[in-house]
Amino acid sequence: MERQMDEQEIIDSFDKAIQGNHLFACYQPQVNHTTGRMVGAEALMRWKNPEYGMQYPTTFIPVLEKNNLIYRADIHLFEAVCKFQKKCIDAKLPVVPISVNMSRYDIVGHDYVGDIEKIRKAYDVPVKYLRIEITESSAIAGIQRMQEVIAGLHSFGYIVEMDDFGSGYSSLNILKDLDVDIIKLDMQFLQGEVGGRGGIILNTIVQMAKWLGTPLIVEGVETMEQADYMKSIGCSYIQGYLYSKPLLEDAFQEKICKIEHEPLTPALKLIDTINAGAFWNPESMETLIFNNLVGAAALFTYTDDTLEVLRINKKYLREICMNHTEQEVITADPWRGFDETNRKIYEDAIRKAIASGEEESCETWRTIHSQCCGDDNICIRSTLRVIGTAENQYLVYAMVQNITAEKRAYMVMAESEQKFRFASEQANVYAWEYIISTRQMRPCYRCMRDLNLPPVVENYPEPAIEMGIFPPEVADDYREMMRKVDSGIPQIEAVFPLTACRVPFHVRYTTEFDENGRPLKAFGSATLVVDPSQKEAAGDTIK
Ligand code: C2E
Ligand code: CA
Ligand code: CA
């Protein structure tokens, strides 16, 4: 007969359950969604009663807790996990760390740490293969007691996980006080909502966990959409039905032999002078400094070639983000707006900063998109410094400066310098600018003075022909030359006899193009031909 046992039946059959191993562990894998590899598993208590069949913890655990039996159950389960790990080690099978749940009642009136240590030693299981999950609700024993227990677990080398983070009210405060190594977040508390409010809460917790340098595992992930979403906000460690339901020991053992595993990435190690906790606290001096006293700044992690923005300050938003919010900047693809060349420049600077441990600067152009104003190209000078490392992951502090205006001014200057060069190459000349799209000609001062031209000549070259600067017999040749200029010939030159006196001049055009290769302007010049043999070439155009 398969049915849930009632309270009295649970109490009555408890001793037998322990002795007969009716209380045992199921194992639910934890997977890195990015690599598909297993990073660990959680042991979940099951009770298979010979008479009533499978019992689930949600019904029997509260009864055990109420009747002071949970401690024995938890210790029994810890032993079962040690036995399993020992079996795998001895059989030279792959071993992954397994998390064991600790009830809030386990730390009241019991030497939990001492007792599990005895068991672990007896089975000779390295401590790195065991993790302990505690919940916020353990705070009923007092924060100080929790701190003692965590310190005790740490002293033996256990990894401590904060289970069901975000389910209580005091979550944020509790993290400040408790030195946990891993945070577990339950998707079910947010009703699996990936967008909207739930999404914002998740995102904030993920960013905060990163900021604290604490790895995060999301539980209760049932759909690919949820897993992809979590990955997109920077949390790839996943436990849930999507990858696997809790498995019986044999099935789990088969699984660990079949799929690859990898260690959970250790938390980022911050350089000593930074107090990560305080930096996160909005009231702290560090935050005050980050937001007000330093210029525009951002923090990001860099792993292989992936970059994830963790935090930006208000000035950063003002300086380079147009009307985007911090949230939008953090969740957007950080390489959006970079072309390949600029991305390379930026990544080279990061690599240099990693290699040198010093500040490295670079200047990159990127396109910023704004809903109201469209795209804008901006140039950013970034000064980068690595402030934390963990294996191949780097925490980088970036100070940024929008130098677009400066850069543009420089480009204008460089452009006029170039014009000057064209002009001086053709020394002692009459020079002018011809704007292709409008067919306007702007003569130099000498042209205006000697040829009596206005500052802007419209519909060029017709007025110059009418005025007899180009005499009638060369008018068509000159029109032909101008057509070639209009059609975008880069350079063209020819000798023309000019004015009523038919004085031979070398007429040259050099065309300037925009970034799409369209002709913009041509710089024209006329130099007196000193070698009379060139006279014969009059009207011949040479490309
Ligand atoms: P928990 O520690 O938060 O464990 C996760 C629970 O979520 C497990 O329920 C697991 O089966 C379930 N779960 C896993 N993936 C999914 C999913 O994708 N969707 C949904 N909806 N649920 C998922 P379970 O095994 O029924 O355990 C319930 C709770 O009982 C546990 O919650 C834990 O608080 C407690 N518990 C389990 N084993 C032990 C134990 O050995 N000792 C103590 N003290 N408590 C335990
Ligand atoms: Ca748990
Ligand atoms: Ca949980």
Side-chain angles (χ1 to χ4, degrees):
M1 191 179 61
E2 186 100 355
R3 72 161 171 86
Q4 291 291 297
M5 299 189 287
D6 64 26
E7 185 163 348
Q8 200 52 51
E9 288 164 338
I10 290 170
I11 298 166
D12 292 345
S13 52
F14 182 74
D15 282 341
K16 241 201 235 154
I18 296 261
Q19 284 150 20
N21 272 333
H22 305 154
L23 263 186
F24 60 94
C26 267
Y27 299 92
Q28 188 173 33
Q30 297 162 338
V31 177
N32 181 342
H33 187 53
T34 305
T35 61
R37 298 198 183 118
M38 208 192 292
V39 293
E42 179 177 0
L44 292 157
M45 201 186 286
R46 294 290 179 270
W47 182 335
K48 191 160 186 188
N49 184 282
E51 236 177 292
Y52 305 118
M54 191 67 100
Q55 308 292 309
Y56 289 89
T58 33
T59 44
F60 69 79
I61 283 183
V63 178
L64 299 183
E65 286 185 336
K66 193 172 141 202
N67 293 281
N68 228 346
L69 297 168
I70 190 67
Y71 191 68
R72 283 174 59 204
D74 279 346
I75 294 292
H76 175 75
L77 208 87
F78 183 86
E79 185 169 356
V81 171
C82 287
K83 243 185 237 170
F84 175 73
Q85 295 291 53
K86 176 71 175 156
K87 192 175 83 181
C88 292
I89 294 166
D90 288 348
K92 300 210 161 33
L93 295 172
V95 186
V96 298
I98 293 175
S99 309
V100 183
N101 288 283
M102 183 194 88
S103 159
R104 53 192 158 160
Y105 298 102
D106 293 346
I107 58 172
V108 188
H110 301 281
D111 179 16
Y112 181 78
V113 182
D115 288 345
I116 64 166
E117 251 315 86
K118 270 183 225 139
I119 297 168
R120 185 187 70 80
K121 284 216 180 90
Y123 286 91
D124 196 23
V125 175
V127 71
K128 66 177 176 187
Y129 293 136
L130 295 160
R131 301 187 197 134
I132 305 298
E133 289 194 9
I134 61 167
T135 63
E136 278 172 61
S137 59
S138 311
I140 54 158
I143 290 287
Q144 212 185 329
R145 175 74 187 126
M146 269 181 103
Q147 286 169 331
E148 267 168 38
V149 172
I150 293 171
L153 289 167
H154 278 164
S155 72
F156 292 107
Y158 289 91
I159 294 284
V160 181
E161 299 177 2
M162 170 61 76
D163 199 4
D164 299 342
F165 181 72
S167 61
Y169 296 102
S170 55
S171 307
L172 294 180
N173 279 329
I174 230 164
L175 275 192
K176 187 159 57 61
D177 297 328
L178 300 180
D179 181 19
V180 293
D181 308 295
I182 293 175
I183 295 171
K184 290 188 80 177
L185 190 76
D186 197 324
M187 199 104 206
Q188 303 301 314
F189 290 127
L190 301 145
Q191 284 107 37
E193 204 187 339
V194 293
R197 229 175 105 78
I200 293 168
I201 295 171
L202 273 178
N203 203 328
T204 309
I205 294 175
V206 171
Q207 297 311 328
M208 189 186 60
K210 284 195 165 183
W211 183 241
L212 291 170
T214 313
L216 202 131
I217 299 174
V218 222
E219 282 184 283
V221 176
E222 295 179 348
T223 66
M224 194 53 96
E225 190 200 5
Q226 291 172 335
D228 287 344
Y229 176 77
M230 289 312 299
K231 189 177 137 188
S232 80
I233 61 170
C235 174
S236 289
Y237 299 132
I238 275 160
Q239 178 186 338
Y241 295 164
L242 171 68
Y243 276 104
S244 174
K245 295 219 163 180
L247 300 169
L248 289 171
E249 192 175 298
D250 290 347
F252 177 64
Q253 193 170 70
E254 216 172 283
K255 190 131 195 154
I256 42 176
C257 293
K258 256 201 296 213
I259 85 169
E260 286 182 66
H261 13 90
E262 66 180 36
L264 229 98
T265 311
L268 279 167
K269 221 172 138 283
L270 288 169
I271 52 169
D272 296 340
T273 45
I274 295 179
N275 177 343
F279 226 129
W280 182 254
N281 174 1
E283 253 101 63
S284 74
M285 183 60 88
E286 280 86 345
T287 299
L288 184 81
I289 292 170
F290 187 62
N291 270 331
N292 300 293
L293 303 181
V294 299
L299 267 159
F300 60 84
T301 54
Y302 186 75
T303 320
D304 299 326
D305 53 5
T306 44
L307 190 156
E308 267 176 70
V309 181
L310 302 183
R311 243 195 113 178
I312 53 178
N313 68 2
K314 290 188 191 120
K315 281 187 189 154
Y316 183 97
L317 279 177
R318 223 174 306 143
E319 188 98 355
I320 68 171
C321 300
M322 286 195 162
N323 50 4
H324 294 282
T325 64
E326 176 174 0
Q327 210 50 41
E328 284 165 343
V329 174
I330 286 175
T331 50
D333 170 11
W335 296 119
R336 195 178 61 175
F338 278 81
D339 64 14
E340 223 173 278
T341 316
N342 283 286
R343 176 171 173 166
K344 189 173 177 309
I345 294 171
Y346 201 87
E347 287 199 274
D348 283 349
I350 298 176
R351 287 195 202 101
K352 263 199 218 153
I354 290 169
S356 68
E358 305 284 331
E359 265 180 23
E360 292 293 338
S361 292
C362 66
E363 288 174 9
T364 48
W365 284 89
R366 53 190 96 164
T367 312
I368 301 285
H369 177 75
S370 119
Q371 299 255 307
C372 57
C373 315
D375 286 353
D376 202 2
N377 248 330
I378 58 169
C379 187
I380 302 296
R381 178 180 295 133
S382 312
T383 307
L384 309 168
R385 190 184 198 115
V386 174
I387 59 166
T389 56
E391 291 197 346
N392 60 342
Q393 192 175 31
Y394 300 93
L395 181 64
V396 184
Y397 188 85
M399 279 176 290
V400 298
Q401 209 184 342
N402 190 339
I403 54 166
T404 315
E406 218 177 282
K407 269 280 173 203
R408 293 227 165 102
Y410 173 78
M411 276 155 64
V412 168
M413 208 176 72
E415 194 191 337
S416 55
E417 219 171 276
Q418 196 184 20
K419 276 189 221 162
F420 179 74
R421 222 181 43 239
F422 285 143
S424 59
E425 270 167 13
Q426 304 161 353
N428 196 18
V429 290
Y430 291 97
W432 62 95
E433 245 182 25
Y434 172 65
I435 293 122
I436 291 169
S437 60
T438 56
R439 307 189 64 190
Q440 280 174 334
M441 180 264 211
R442 294 170 187 270
C444 70
Y445 175 68
R446 278 182 67 198
C447 295
M448 287 168 68
R449 186 192 61 193
D450 295 349
L451 302 166
N452 204 17
L453 287 168
V456 179
V457 181
E458 304 284 351
N459 194 30
Y460 191 75
E462 290 320 312
I465 292 167
E466 266 164 43
M467 288 164 77
I469 299 171
F470 289 87
E473 71 275 16
V474 297
D476 280 342
D477 286 336
Y478 191 55
R479 287 191 185 104
E480 176 59 21
M481 186 186 207
M482 291 313 295
R483 261 194 296 278
K484 288 187 177 159
V485 171
D486 286 343
S487 68
I489 195 162
Q491 263 174 346
I492 191 165
E493 54 183 6
V495 175
F496 287 104
L498 297 190
T499 71
C501 310
R502 308 301 195 261
V503 187
F505 271 83
H506 219 123
V507 177
R508 293 188 179 89
Y509 278 97
T510 304
T511 308
E512 188 196 306
F513 299 85
D514 69 12
E515 66 269 28
N516 299 314
R518 277 191 295 265
L520 284 178
K521 286 182 203 170
F523 299 100
S525 66
T527 351
L528 187 67
V529 174
V530 272
D531 178 2
S533 70
Q534 286 199 7
K535 241 180 170 176
E536 275 75 60
D540 277 351
T541 53
I542 314 145
K543 196 181 155 191

